[in-house]
Amino acid sequence: MRVRDTDKEKLVVEMAIDQIVQEGFQGFSMNKLAKACSISVGTLYIYYADKDDLIQKIGGEMALKFFKSTIKDFSPEMPFEEGLWRQWENRADFAMKYPKEVAFFEIIRHSPHGEIILDAIAEFADFRTIMKDFIDNALQNKELLPMNFEAFWCVAYGPLYTLLNMHAERKSMGGKPFVLTKEIMKEAFQATVKGLKP
């Protein structure tokens, strides 16, 4: 029996993320991945049952990394404005630190693998509960306007992700050079909070 090599495994994960981000699912294959890693296709099957298993396992790792970073130093009992700002900071830090992984997870999330991955991660149910408790507490404390959950999500996080997309592309509307700063993020956050508070 062949032994797992953790360095080789890390390389496989990196190269798989690279290929899916650059070429999407259509351009991705186990053969191409093995070649990019300078290993045999057989070696890939030590780590993964097949291509779907590989995508779902790597996607699951990325999702866990994201959820853990999102709730760092965060509590659903926080006052609404403080808790939402912590969420913005955590999400922005993760997106700026791991842009390729975020791009990879966005592709996965909008594929048939997305729901399979999220349903398989027990921590995702915990994450949903934490976020629900945060919103319920804000409503109970009259810090948040009652609204449809999807509407809340768009207003609360849409501005942040728009800024992060512009930061990733290094340009804003009309192609003007753009780098996200704490000041710009805070300005957008203040406008967002204003729209969410009663």
Side-chain angles (χ1 to χ4, degrees):
M1 187 175 138
R2 293 163 80 182
V3 183
R4 294 173 78 104
D5 177 336
T6 51
D7 288 340
K8 218 172 261 183
E9 214 168 341
K10 278 182 195 162
L11 178 66
V12 166
V13 169
E14 282 173 32
M15 296 310 292
I17 290 170
D18 274 356
Q19 283 190 12
I20 289 172
V21 167
Q22 287 170 19
E23 303 174 40
F25 289 124
Q26 282 65 35
F28 179 73
S29 75
M30 295 295 260
N31 284 335
K32 276 173 80 172
L33 178 60
K35 192 175 178 183
C37 296
S38 301
I39 59 174
S40 71
V41 178
T43 302
L44 286 176
Y45 292 102
I46 296 171
Y47 311 119
Y48 308 101
D50 54 28
K51 186 166 91 167
D52 287 343
D53 183 49
L54 178 141
I55 290 165
Q56 287 162 20
K57 279 189 176 144
I58 296 173
E61 283 172 32
M62 291 306 113
L64 265 178
K65 218 171 167 181
F66 173 68
F67 300 147
K68 283 177 182 169
S69 75
T70 302
I71 57 172
K72 183 178 176 244
D73 302 324
F74 171 81
S75 161
E77 283 81 41
M78 282 178 157
F80 178 68
E81 189 170 338
E82 182 190 344
L84 188 63
W85 177 245
R86 180 60 48 81
Q87 284 280 304
W88 273 47
E89 285 185 307
N90 288 345
R91 289 165 187 263
D93 286 347
F94 187 86
M96 289 176 171
K97 211 178 278 181
Y98 305 106
K100 204 177 283 182
E101 287 85 345
V102 168
F104 167 81
F105 191 67
E106 282 303 301
I107 293 167
I108 299 293
R109 204 165 62 84
H110 295 102
S111 78
H113 298 285
E115 283 306 309
I116 295 166
I117 290 166
L118 296 179
D119 288 344
I121 300 171
E123 287 88 347
F124 185 60
D126 298 340
F127 177 74
R128 280 181 169 150
T129 302
I130 288 166
M131 294 312 295
K132 184 186 180 305
D133 290 349
F134 176 61
I135 294 164
D136 289 348
N137 287 336
L139 286 166
Q140 196 177 326
N141 297 331
K142 303 206 178 336
E143 299 173 292
L144 174 64
L145 278 170
M147 65 177 76
N148 177 286
F149 177 74
E150 288 74 15
F152 164 79
W153 206 262
C154 289
V155 176
Y157 299 105
L160 172 64
Y161 284 112
T162 301
L163 289 171
L164 288 170
N165 286 339
M166 289 190 287
H167 178 80
E169 291 169 10
R170 291 293 191 253
K171 60 184 181 198
S172 67
M173 308 310 184
K176 190 175 121 188
F178 179 81
V179 173
L180 181 56
T181 63
K182 205 71 135 181
E183 291 72 34
I184 294 170
M185 197 163 99
K186 198 73 176 177
E187 194 179 337
F189 177 76
Q190 293 302 340
T192 298
V193 167
K194 206 171 177 181
L196 289 168
K197 283 187 167 183

